[in-house]
PDB file of all heavy atoms in Angstrom:
ATOM      1  N   VAL A  22      -9.506  15.096   4.462  1.00 89.00           N
ATOM      2  CA  VAL A  22      -8.650  14.007   3.970  1.00 89.00           C
ATOM      3  C   VAL A  22      -7.485  13.770   4.934  1.00 89.00           C
ATOM      4  O   VAL A  22      -7.250  12.643   5.372  1.00 89.00           O
ATOM      5  CB  VAL A  22      -8.152  14.298   2.540  1.00 89.00           C
ATOM      6  CG1 VAL A  22      -7.148  13.252   2.083  1.00 89.00           C
ATOM      7  CG2 VAL A  22      -9.319  14.386   1.572  1.00 89.00           C
ATOM      8  N   ASN A  23      -6.762  14.821   5.273  1.00 88.00           N
ATOM      9  CA  ASN A  23      -5.621  14.653   6.182  1.00 88.00           C
ATOM     10  C   ASN A  23      -6.068  14.285   7.588  1.00 88.00           C
ATOM     11  O   ASN A  23      -5.447  13.459   8.248  1.00 88.00           O
ATOM     12  CB  ASN A  23      -4.771  15.921   6.213  1.00 88.00           C
ATOM     13  CG  ASN A  23      -3.997  16.106   4.918  1.00 88.00           C
ATOM     14  OD1 ASN A  23      -3.767  15.164   4.173  1.00 88.00           O
ATOM     15  ND2 ASN A  23      -3.626  17.336   4.643  1.00 88.00           N
ATOM     16  N   GLU A  24      -7.147  14.892   8.067  1.00 88.00           N
ATOM     17  CA  GLU A  24      -7.631  14.623   9.428  1.00 88.00           C
ATOM     18  C   GLU A  24      -8.059  13.157   9.589  1.00 88.00           C
ATOM     19  O   GLU A  24      -7.723  12.513  10.579  1.00 88.00           O
ATOM     20  CB  GLU A  24      -8.787  15.557   9.769  1.00 88.00           C
ATOM     21  CG  GLU A  24      -9.215  15.502  11.211  1.00 88.00           C
ATOM     22  CD  GLU A  24      -8.164  16.011  12.185  1.00 88.00           C
ATOM     23  OE1 GLU A  24      -7.278  16.794  11.794  1.00 88.00           O
ATOM     24  OE2 GLU A  24      -8.231  15.610  13.369  1.00 88.00           O
ATOM     25  N   LEU A  25      -8.803  12.638   8.613  1.00 87.00           N
ATOM     26  CA  LEU A  25      -9.218  11.234   8.682  1.00 87.00           C
ATOM     27  C   LEU A  25      -8.003  10.309   8.630  1.00 87.00           C
ATOM     28  O   LEU A  25      -7.928   9.325   9.363  1.00 87.00           O
ATOM     29  CB  LEU A  25     -10.193  10.893   7.556  1.00 87.00           C
ATOM     30  CG  LEU A  25     -10.744   9.469   7.573  1.00 87.00           C
ATOM     31  CD1 LEU A  25     -11.531   9.199   8.855  1.00 87.00           C
ATOM     32  CD2 LEU A  25     -11.623   9.221   6.359  1.00 87.00           C
ATOM     33  N   SER A  26      -7.031  10.638   7.787  1.00 91.00           N
ATOM     34  CA  SER A  26      -5.819   9.819   7.699  1.00 91.00           C
ATOM     35  C   SER A  26      -5.039   9.812   9.001  1.00 91.00           C
ATOM     36  O   SER A  26      -4.546   8.771   9.431  1.00 91.00           O
ATOM     37  CB  SER A  26      -4.930  10.317   6.557  1.00 91.00           C
ATOM     38  OG  SER A  26      -5.559  10.096   5.322  1.00 91.00           O
ATOM     39  N   VAL A  27      -4.932  10.973   9.650  1.00 90.00           N
ATOM     40  CA  VAL A  27      -4.203  11.064  10.913  1.00 90.00           C
ATOM     41  C   VAL A  27      -4.928  10.293  12.015  1.00 90.00           C
ATOM     42  O   VAL A  27      -4.316   9.537  12.770  1.00 90.00           O
ATOM     43  CB  VAL A  27      -4.006  12.547  11.317  1.00 90.00           C
ATOM     44  CG1 VAL A  27      -3.560  12.686  12.765  1.00 90.00           C
ATOM     45  CG2 VAL A  27      -3.016  13.211  10.387  1.00 90.00           C
ATOM     46  N   GLN A  28      -6.248  10.471  12.101  1.00 90.00           N
ATOM     47  CA  GLN A  28      -6.995   9.845  13.190  1.00 90.00           C
ATOM     48  C   GLN A  28      -7.149   8.334  13.022  1.00 90.00           C
ATOM     49  O   GLN A  28      -7.336   7.626  14.003  1.00 90.00           O
ATOM     50  CB  GLN A  28      -8.360  10.509  13.332  1.00 90.00           C
ATOM     51  CG  GLN A  28      -8.217  11.933  13.813  1.00 90.00           C
ATOM     52  CD  GLN A  28      -9.437  12.423  14.538  1.00 90.00           C
ATOM     53  OE1 GLN A  28     -10.281  11.659  14.986  1.00 90.00           O
ATOM     54  NE2 GLN A  28      -9.523  13.732  14.660  1.00 90.00           N
ATOM     55  N   THR A  29      -7.090   7.833  11.806  1.00 91.00           N
ATOM     56  CA  THR A  29      -7.273   6.396  11.570  1.00 91.00           C
ATOM     57  C   THR A  29      -5.988   5.673  11.211  1.00 91.00           C
ATOM     58  O   THR A  29      -5.958   4.457  11.139  1.00 91.00           O
ATOM     59  CB  THR A  29      -8.270   6.161  10.423  1.00 91.00           C
ATOM     60  OG1 THR A  29      -7.764   6.786   9.237  1.00 91.00           O
ATOM     61  CG2 THR A  29      -9.643   6.696  10.761  1.00 91.00           C
ATOM     62  N   ASP A  30      -4.926   6.421  10.958  1.00 91.00           N
ATOM     63  CA  ASP A  30      -3.655   5.864  10.498  1.00 91.00           C
ATOM     64  C   ASP A  30      -3.793   5.204   9.121  1.00 91.00           C
ATOM     65  O   ASP A  30      -3.111   4.233   8.811  1.00 91.00           O
ATOM     66  CB  ASP A  30      -3.092   4.881  11.526  1.00 91.00           C
ATOM     67  CG  ASP A  30      -1.567   4.834  11.487  1.00 91.00           C
ATOM     68  OD1 ASP A  30      -0.959   5.799  10.992  1.00 91.00           O
ATOM     69  OD2 ASP A  30      -0.992   3.822  11.935  1.00 91.00           O
ATOM     70  N   TRP A  31      -4.727   5.713   8.315  1.00 94.00           N
ATOM     71  CA  TRP A  31      -4.924   5.219   6.952  1.00 94.00           C
ATOM     72  C   TRP A  31      -4.100   6.027   5.967  1.00 94.00           C
ATOM     73  O   TRP A  31      -3.796   7.189   6.187  1.00 94.00           O
ATOM     74  CB  TRP A  31      -6.388   5.360   6.535  1.00 94.00           C
ATOM     75  CG  TRP A  31      -7.315   4.336   7.088  1.00 94.00           C
ATOM     76  CD1 TRP A  31      -7.011   3.190   7.754  1.00 94.00           C
ATOM     77  CD2 TRP A  31      -8.737   4.365   7.009  1.00 94.00           C
ATOM     78  NE1 TRP A  31      -8.145   2.515   8.105  1.00 94.00           N
ATOM     79  CE2 TRP A  31      -9.224   3.222   7.654  1.00 94.00           C
ATOM     80  CE3 TRP A  31      -9.651   5.257   6.460  1.00 94.00           C
ATOM     81  CZ2 TRP A  31     -10.576   2.928   7.750  1.00 94.00           C
ATOM     82  CZ3 TRP A  31     -10.995   4.969   6.563  1.00 94.00           C
ATOM     83  CH2 TRP A  31     -11.453   3.815   7.199  1.00 94.00           C
ATOM     84  N   ARG A  32      -3.786   5.401   4.865  1.00 95.00           N
ATOM     85  CA  ARG A  32      -3.171   6.100   3.743  1.00 95.00           C
ATOM     86  C   ARG A  32      -4.298   6.677   2.900  1.00 95.00           C
ATOM     87  O   ARG A  32      -5.423   6.207   2.961  1.00 95.00           O
ATOM     88  CB  ARG A  32      -2.340   5.124   2.916  1.00 95.00           C
ATOM     89  CG  ARG A  32      -1.122   4.626   3.670  1.00 95.00           C
ATOM     90  CD  ARG A  32      -1.033   3.125   3.494  1.00 95.00           C
ATOM     91  NE  ARG A  32       0.136   2.583   4.148  1.00 95.00           N
ATOM     92  CZ  ARG A  32       0.066   1.810   5.211  1.00 95.00           C
ATOM     93  NH1 ARG A  32      -1.082   1.486   5.734  1.00 95.00           N
ATOM     94  NH2 ARG A  32       1.148   1.329   5.758  1.00 95.00           N
ATOM     95  N   PHE A  51      -9.330   5.901   0.898  1.00 96.00           N
ATOM     96  CA  PHE A  51      -8.568   5.710   2.117  1.00 96.00           C
ATOM     97  C   PHE A  51      -8.338   4.214   2.291  1.00 96.00           C
ATOM     98  O   PHE A  51      -9.231   3.420   2.007  1.00 96.00           O
ATOM     99  CB  PHE A  51      -9.333   6.255   3.331  1.00 96.00           C
ATOM    100  CG  PHE A  51      -9.641   7.724   3.231  1.00 96.00           C
ATOM    101  CD1 PHE A  51     -10.835   8.155   2.679  1.00 96.00           C
ATOM    102  CD2 PHE A  51      -8.733   8.662   3.691  1.00 96.00           C
ATOM    103  CE1 PHE A  51     -11.128   9.508   2.586  1.00 96.00           C
ATOM    104  CE2 PHE A  51      -9.018  10.019   3.598  1.00 96.00           C
ATOM    105  CZ  PHE A  51     -10.210  10.442   3.043  1.00 96.00           C
ATOM    106  N   SER A  52      -7.154   3.846   2.783  1.00 96.00           N
ATOM    107  CA  SER A  52      -6.842   2.424   2.915  1.00 96.00           C
ATOM    108  C   SER A  52      -5.913   2.170   4.092  1.00 96.00           C
ATOM    109  O   SER A  52      -4.984   2.943   4.336  1.00 96.00           O
ATOM    110  CB  SER A  52      -6.169   1.927   1.626  1.00 96.00           C
ATOM    111  OG  SER A  52      -5.698   0.616   1.785  1.00 96.00           O
ATOM    112  N   SER A  53      -6.179   1.072   4.792  1.00 94.00           N
ATOM    113  CA  SER A  53      -5.254   0.664   5.839  1.00 94.00           C
ATOM    114  C   SER A  53      -4.057  -0.066   5.235  1.00 94.00           C
ATOM    115  O   SER A  53      -3.067  -0.302   5.916  1.00 94.00           O
ATOM    116  CB  SER A  53      -5.960  -0.237   6.865  1.00 94.00           C
ATOM    117  OG  SER A  53      -6.444  -1.404   6.254  1.00 94.00           O
TER     118      SER A  53
END
Side-chain angles (χ1 to χ4, degrees):
V22 174
N23 288 339
E24 189 66 23
L25 183 61
S26 293
V27 166
Q28 292 206 18
T29 59
D30 209 21
W31 282 350
R32 292 134 178 111
F51 300 92
S52 172
S53 61

